[in-house]
Amino acid sequence: MRKALVVGNWKMNGTGSSIDLLMQGLIAQLASCSSGIVVCPPNVYLDQVRGHIEQTTISMGGQNIDWHDNGAFTGEVSAEMLADLGCDFVLVGHSERRTLFGETSEDVAMKCEASLSKGIIPILCVGETQAQRQNGETQDVITSQLVPVFDKLDSDAMAKVVIAYEPVWAIGTGRTASPQQADDVHAFIRQTLAEKDLNTANNIQILYGGSVNASNAVELFGMQNIDGALVGGASLDAASFLAICQAAVLV
Ligand code: 13P
């Protein structure tokens, strides 16, 4: 049985005071949630969030890492640095990183390897654009994003990864994939993984991301292959994020 996981990607949003309010709001109602919960603040607020989540079941993640251990990489942050600040997770290969910052799937694979080497779970993001879906290329795109990671990680390492399917056309648009559309891609990801390792395919958590909100979460979580959500906009509001976490009960 896979456990539900809800991850909030705050992206480049928040201030010291808004984050205090958000965390206080989340923690006040935490007892109503049974899923795993992860928040991914901007790096500069990790230490502040760490102060809030001590003694709670909330975990913390970074939004990106550099795959090098250290060195002359101005502005970058390593997996070890995130681990030092109390992160258990890191988002890897978010579509905004791929499209705005030119990350390739090979870079993404190296980031997965680097994070696992420091005990951090990579949340590997994959997803197609609108044009790619219209051209019937969704499965090819997902495969091309997964294969470099499969090539780099052995089965034991792969079993630790979380995958997030985020169709680019559903991110921040208010246009979520239908539960069936999402489940079809999740099933395809599981099937692709099964060719490498059946046990990992059955047990890996695959989250859906793209305009998840309190109203569509229940239906999405009702699908067989959807194990949780990667939430952007709605994770910035305590009530909305909590409603999604409360809906994340897998049956
Ligand atoms: P939205 O939930 O705002 O569509 O963002 C999704 C996302 O990109 C999470 O990583």
Side-chain angles (χ1 to χ4, degrees), residues 7-11 91 94-96 125 164 166-167 170-175 208-213 229-235:
V7 181
N9 174 11
W10 296 354
K11 308 194 180 183
L91 302 178
H94 191 281
S95 73
E96 286 149 20
C125 305
E166 295 206 305
I171 295 179
T173 58
R175 231 190 102 203
Y208 168 77
S211 297
V212 176
N213 58 39
L230 177 53
V231 186
S235 71

Side-chain angles (χ1 to χ4, degrees), residues 24-247:
Q24 283 156 6
L26 282 184
I27 288 164
Q29 300 293 325
L30 200 55
S32 61
C33 306
S34 58
S35 72
I37 300 177
V38 182
V39 292
C40 301
N43 287 343
V44 292
Y45 296 120
L46 287 171
D47 201 41
Q48 181 183 338
V49 171
R50 179 193 216 173
H52 283 284
I53 64 174
E54 274 169 3
Q55 319 292 336
T56 78
T57 51
I58 300 177
S59 300
M60 192 168 70
Q63 298 179 10
N64 178 38
I65 48 161
D66 190 288
W67 54 268
H68 297 91
D69 280 345
N70 49 53
F73 304 102
T74 301
E76 294 295 280
V77 166
S78 70
E80 188 169 16
M81 292 169 183
L82 290 189
D84 262 354
L85 278 164
C87 288
D88 292 315
F89 294 84
V90 64
L91 302 178
V92 171
H94 191 281
S95 73
E96 286 149 20
R97 299 293 322 167
R98 293 178 191 262
T99 55
L100 302 175
F101 301 96
E103 271 182 27
T104 66
S105 294
E106 286 69 28
D107 296 331
V108 170
M110 288 196 282
K111 291 178 183 210
C112 286
E113 192 179 40
S115 62
L116 285 166
S117 78
K118 304 297 176 200
I120 295 187
I121 297 170
I123 301 174
L124 166 63
C125 305
V126 297
E128 81 289 359
T129 63
Q130 174 73 38
Q132 289 165 334
R133 174 164 281 264
Q134 275 163 351
N135 292 336
E137 295 165 5
T138 300
Q139 294 192 351
D140 288 345
V141 171
I142 303 289
T143 303
S144 73
Q145 293 170 334
L146 290 176
V147 164
V149 179
F150 291 175
D151 287 348
K152 204 155 242 343
L153 303 186
D154 63 20
S155 292
D156 285 352
M158 199 60 220
K160 298 186 180 121
V161 173
V162 173
I163 295 179
Y165 168 55
E166 295 206 305
V168 178
W169 47 272
I171 295 179
T173 58
R175 231 190 102 203
T176 185
S178 72
Q180 192 60 57
Q181 277 176 324
D183 198 64
D184 286 348
V185 178
H186 286 220
F188 172 74
I189 293 170
R190 238 181 257 293
Q191 180 198 318
T192 308
L193 261 165
E195 287 159 24
K196 186 178 166 81
D197 186 317
L198 188 59
N199 201 37
T200 300
N202 287 333
N203 291 315
I204 202 162
Q205 288 168 309
I206 308 181
L207 316 181
Y208 168 77
S211 297
V212 176
N213 58 39
S215 330
N216 57 31
V218 173
E219 248 198 305
L220 286 162
F221 295 148
M223 304 306 286
Q224 194 185 347
N225 289 292
I226 299 181
D227 305 319
L230 177 53
V231 186
S235 71
L236 297 169
D237 176 75
S240 304
F241 190 58
L242 281 162
I244 296 168
C245 296
Q246 286 156 357

